[in-house]
Amino acid sequence: VMIAYASRTGTRRNLAALRAADWRLLVSAAACLRTEGFRYALDNGAWSAYTRGRPFDEPAFVRALRKLGSASDWTVIPDVVAGGQASLDFSLRWMRAVLDESPRALLAVQDGMNVADVRHFIGERVGIFVGGSTAWKLATLHQWGALAAETGAWCHVGRVNTARRISACETAGAHSFDGTS
């Protein structure tokens, strides 16, 4: 059974519905650092910065990691949205810091990356966060699920906002997904 994560919400009605459906929260370093008593995962905030045209907020991520990392299900290693090799290089500089604070770190795979680029880093404590553009994500989803199965790694898919995409995640063997709608 895949685990579903929702972006953090503060409304009682939405929180009650998430609890009833056994969902968890994806708490972003770029937002309010409240877990509302849910099990949760920690997002680095890179997507939020990207959509606002701002640089990645390293101090905010470090604060969030220190506050919430140890009790999170996993933490997304900082990345560069749709950044290919530049994202991988950036993530590798952060990997040790995330592993020091969180039980599991997820390496975000982005447009232009392939299995050979990341295979060496993936395993029990370092999983895969399938990010990137929607078209690239959907086209490569199965290869990331296969790599996770092969290496015993966690596979999470970001920005999954339709029943069709949830089904694609399940077919690919993802362990979890997140969405806002």
Side-chain angles (χ1 to χ4, degrees):
V1 176
M2 282 190 307
I3 298 171
Y5 291 85
S7 298
R8 198 200 72 75
T9 178
T11 66
R12 289 182 184 163
R13 188 181 111 234
N14 288 350
L15 291 170
L18 291 173
R19 275 194 183 88
D22 202 27
W23 280 48
R24 299 179 186 183
L25 293 183
L26 182 62
V27 179
S28 174
C32 181
L33 299 179
R34 292 180 16 210
T35 66
E36 310 296 348
F38 279 79
R39 288 190 63 181
Y40 64 92
L42 180 60
D43 182 55
N44 61 41
W47 174 255
S48 296
Y50 174 79
T51 60
R52 292 181 176 117
R54 295 183 181 159
F56 175 66
D57 189 342
E58 292 186 23
F61 175 68
V62 170
R63 277 190 303 278
L65 182 62
R66 289 182 179 152
K67 180 176 180 177
L68 298 176
S70 65
S72 67
D73 294 339
W74 42 261
T75 298
V76 184
I77 302 168
D79 62 303
V80 177
V81 176
Q85 188 62 46
S87 181
L88 181 57
D89 293 343
F90 186 64
S91 294
L92 293 177
R93 290 194 299 269
W94 280 94
M95 186 180 295
R96 175 56 27 212
V98 174
L99 286 169
D100 285 348
E101 297 285 343
S102 183
R104 178 178 284 134
L106 298 190
L107 180 64
V109 292
Q110 300 286 349
D111 295 46
M113 288 186 193
N114 61 56
V115 168
D117 294 330
V118 302
R119 179 187 306 277
H120 175 74
F121 307 107
I122 304 302
E124 186 177 329
R125 285 204 61 217
V126 179
I128 301 165
F129 182 100
V130 185
S133 67
T134 301
W136 181 84
K137 178 189 320 199
L138 295 175
T140 63
L141 183 56
H142 286 274
Q143 72 185 29
W144 304 116
L147 177 61
E150 174 188 323
T151 58
W154 191 268
C155 182
H156 177 87
V157 184
R159 294 185 347 269
V160 177
N161 294 309
T162 66
R164 184 176 182 181
R165 288 191 195 158
I166 292 170
S167 180
C169 292
E170 185 174 42
T171 301
H175 296 92
S176 59
F177 68 91
D178 71 75
T180 57
S181 58

mmCIF file of all heavy atoms in Angstrom, residues 82-100:
data_model
loop_
_atom_site.group_PDB
_atom_site.id
_atom_site.type_symbol
_atom_site.label_atom_id
_atom_site.label_comp_id
_atom_site.label_asym_id
_atom_site.label_seq_id
_atom_site.Cartn_x
_atom_site.Cartn_y
_atom_site.Cartn_z
ATOM 1 N N ALA A 82 14.420 20.562 -12.086
ATOM 2 C CA ALA A 82 14.682 20.299 -13.512
ATOM 3 C C ALA A 82 16.133 20.576 -13.883
ATOM 4 O O ALA A 82 16.428 20.864 -15.027
ATOM 5 C CB ALA A 82 13.718 21.094 -14.396
ATOM 6 N N GLY A 83 17.047 20.439 -12.911
ATOM 7 C CA GLY A 83 18.440 20.836 -13.095
ATOM 8 C C GLY A 83 19.427 19.781 -13.519
ATOM 9 O O GLY A 83 20.626 20.068 -13.579
ATOM 10 N N GLY A 84 19.004 18.541 -13.760
ATOM 11 C CA GLY A 84 19.911 17.512 -14.241
ATOM 12 C C GLY A 84 21.159 17.349 -13.396
ATOM 13 O O GLY A 84 21.098 17.251 -12.171
ATOM 14 N N GLN A 85 22.317 17.331 -14.058
ATOM 15 C CA GLN A 85 23.586 17.108 -13.379
ATOM 16 C C GLN A 85 23.887 18.183 -12.332
ATOM 17 O O GLN A 85 24.446 17.889 -11.277
ATOM 18 C CB GLN A 85 24.745 17.029 -14.386
ATOM 19 C CG GLN A 85 26.066 16.610 -13.776
ATOM 20 C CD GLN A 85 26.032 15.210 -13.159
ATOM 21 O OE1 GLN A 85 25.526 14.280 -13.759
ATOM 22 N NE2 GLN A 85 26.571 15.077 -11.955
ATOM 23 N N ALA A 86 23.512 19.428 -12.599
ATOM 24 C CA ALA A 86 23.722 20.492 -11.609
ATOM 25 C C ALA A 86 22.947 20.184 -10.325
ATOM 26 O O ALA A 86 23.440 20.437 -9.217
ATOM 27 C CB ALA A 86 23.290 21.846 -12.172
ATOM 28 N N SER A 87 21.752 19.611 -10.460
ATOM 29 C CA SER A 87 20.968 19.231 -9.284
ATOM 30 C C SER A 87 21.662 18.114 -8.520
ATOM 31 O O SER A 87 21.760 18.154 -7.288
ATOM 32 C CB SER A 87 19.564 18.787 -9.708
ATOM 33 O OG SER A 87 18.811 18.450 -8.566
ATOM 34 N N LEU A 88 22.151 17.112 -9.240
ATOM 35 C CA LEU A 88 22.839 15.999 -8.580
ATOM 36 C C LEU A 88 24.073 16.494 -7.825
ATOM 37 O O LEU A 88 24.287 16.136 -6.668
ATOM 38 C CB LEU A 88 23.221 14.922 -9.592
ATOM 39 C CG LEU A 88 23.931 13.695 -9.023
ATOM 40 C CD1 LEU A 88 23.096 13.015 -7.944
ATOM 41 C CD2 LEU A 88 24.264 12.723 -10.148
ATOM 42 N N ASP A 89 24.865 17.334 -8.459
ATOM 43 C CA ASP A 89 26.063 17.879 -7.798
ATOM 44 C C ASP A 89 25.685 18.649 -6.530
ATOM 45 O O ASP A 89 26.324 18.499 -5.486
ATOM 46 C CB ASP A 89 26.829 18.805 -8.747
ATOM 47 C CG ASP A 89 27.436 18.062 -9.930
ATOM 48 O OD1 ASP A 89 27.556 16.821 -9.881
ATOM 49 O OD2 ASP A 89 27.770 18.747 -10.932
ATOM 50 N N PHE A 90 24.650 19.472 -6.617
ATOM 51 C CA PHE A 90 24.182 20.248 -5.475
ATOM 52 C C PHE A 90 23.697 19.315 -4.361
ATOM 53 O O PHE A 90 24.035 19.483 -3.189
ATOM 54 C CB PHE A 90 23.060 21.194 -5.928
ATOM 55 C CG PHE A 90 22.574 22.152 -4.879
ATOM 56 C CD1 PHE A 90 23.413 23.124 -4.360
ATOM 57 C CD2 PHE A 90 21.266 22.097 -4.427
ATOM 58 C CE1 PHE A 90 22.958 24.025 -3.397
ATOM 59 C CE2 PHE A 90 20.795 22.987 -3.467
ATOM 60 C CZ PHE A 90 21.652 23.956 -2.950
ATOM 61 N N SER A 91 22.919 18.310 -4.721
ATOM 62 C CA SER A 91 22.391 17.365 -3.737
ATOM 63 C C SER A 91 23.501 16.600 -3.035
ATOM 64 O O SER A 91 23.441 16.386 -1.815
ATOM 65 C CB SER A 91 21.435 16.372 -4.409
ATOM 66 O OG SER A 91 20.282 17.018 -4.886
ATOM 67 N N LEU A 92 24.504 16.191 -3.776
ATOM 68 C CA LEU A 92 25.587 15.419 -3.164
ATOM 69 C C LEU A 92 26.340 16.232 -2.120
ATOM 70 O O LEU A 92 26.826 15.669 -1.127
ATOM 71 C CB LEU A 92 26.537 14.883 -4.230
ATOM 72 C CG LEU A 92 25.918 13.830 -5.160
ATOM 73 C CD1 LEU A 92 26.915 13.407 -6.231
ATOM 74 C CD2 LEU A 92 25.393 12.629 -4.371
ATOM 75 N N ARG A 93 26.397 17.540 -2.296
ATOM 76 C CA ARG A 93 27.041 18.394 -1.283
ATOM 77 C C ARG A 93 26.229 18.438 0.011
ATOM 78 O O ARG A 93 26.781 18.690 1.074
ATOM 79 C CB ARG A 93 27.262 19.800 -1.834
ATOM 80 C CG ARG A 93 28.327 19.852 -2.918
ATOM 81 C CD ARG A 93 28.779 21.273 -3.224
ATOM 82 N NE ARG A 93 27.731 22.137 -3.703
ATOM 83 C CZ ARG A 93 27.399 22.321 -4.984
ATOM 84 N NH1 ARG A 93 28.041 21.665 -5.929
ATOM 85 N NH2 ARG A 93 26.441 23.162 -5.311
ATOM 86 N N TRP A 94 24.931 18.194 -0.069
ATOM 87 C CA TRP A 94 24.044 18.241 1.091
ATOM 88 C C TRP A 94 23.782 16.865 1.713
ATOM 89 O O TRP A 94 23.240 16.779 2.822
ATOM 90 C CB TRP A 94 22.693 18.828 0.689
ATOM 91 C CG TRP A 94 22.674 20.306 0.606
ATOM 92 C CD1 TRP A 94 22.872 21.089 -0.505
ATOM 93 C CD2 TRP A 94 22.418 21.215 1.688
ATOM 94 N NE1 TRP A 94 22.753 22.410 -0.175
ATOM 95 C CE2 TRP A 94 22.478 22.516 1.161
ATOM 96 C CE3 TRP A 94 22.143 21.041 3.032
ATOM 97 C CZ2 TRP A 94 22.266 23.635 1.943
ATOM 98 C CZ3 TRP A 94 21.933 22.163 3.818
ATOM 99 C CH2 TRP A 94 21.999 23.442 3.275
ATOM 100 N N MET A 95 24.099 15.803 1.022
ATOM 101 C CA MET A 95 23.668 14.470 1.440
ATOM 102 C C MET A 95 24.085 14.135 2.880
ATOM 103 O O MET A 95 23.270 13.682 3.684
ATOM 104 C CB MET A 95 24.176 13.396 0.491
ATOM 105 C CG MET A 95 23.613 12.020 0.822
ATOM 106 S SD MET A 95 24.172 10.714 -0.271
ATOM 107 C CE MET A 95 23.462 11.221 -1.818
ATOM 108 N N ARG A 96 25.337 14.319 3.233
ATOM 109 C CA ARG A 96 25.813 13.955 4.572
ATOM 110 C C ARG A 96 25.067 14.739 5.647
ATOM 111 O O ARG A 96 24.663 14.183 6.661
ATOM 112 C CB ARG A 96 27.320 14.186 4.676
ATOM 113 C CG ARG A 96 27.928 13.977 6.032
ATOM 114 C CD ARG A 96 27.740 12.635 6.751
ATOM 115 N NE ARG A 96 27.535 11.472 5.952
ATOM 116 C CZ ARG A 96 26.795 10.414 6.319
ATOM 117 N NH1 ARG A 96 26.191 10.373 7.485
ATOM 118 N NH2 ARG A 96 26.649 9.382 5.536
ATOM 119 N N ALA A 97 24.856 16.028 5.449
ATOM 120 C CA ALA A 97 24.154 16.847 6.448
ATOM 121 C C ALA A 97 22.731 16.329 6.668
ATOM 122 O O ALA A 97 22.253 16.274 7.806
ATOM 123 C CB ALA A 97 24.119 18.307 6.024
ATOM 124 N N VAL A 98 22.059 15.942 5.589
ATOM 125 C CA VAL A 98 20.694 15.420 5.723
ATOM 126 C C VAL A 98 20.706 14.068 6.430
ATOM 127 O O VAL A 98 19.910 13.816 7.340
ATOM 128 C CB VAL A 98 19.992 15.347 4.348
ATOM 129 C CG1 VAL A 98 18.633 14.669 4.468
ATOM 130 C CG2 VAL A 98 19.831 16.751 3.760
ATOM 131 N N LEU A 99 21.619 13.192 6.058
ATOM 132 C CA LEU A 99 21.701 11.878 6.701
ATOM 133 C C LEU A 99 22.057 11.982 8.181
ATOM 134 O O LEU A 99 21.665 11.132 8.981
ATOM 135 C CB LEU A 99 22.698 10.986 5.971
ATOM 136 C CG LEU A 99 22.214 10.453 4.621
ATOM 137 C CD1 LEU A 99 23.359 9.809 3.858
ATOM 138 C CD2 LEU A 99 21.056 9.476 4.801
ATOM 139 N N ASP A 100 22.782 13.019 8.551
ATOM 140 C CA ASP A 100 23.121 13.217 9.957
ATOM 141 C C ASP A 100 21.911 13.609 10.800
ATOM 142 O O ASP A 100 21.917 13.417 12.014
ATOM 143 C CB ASP A 100 24.207 14.294 10.111
ATOM 144 C CG ASP A 100 25.586 13.805 9.706
ATOM 145 O OD1 ASP A 100 25.772 12.572 9.524
ATOM 146 O OD2 ASP A 100 26.481 14.663 9.551
#
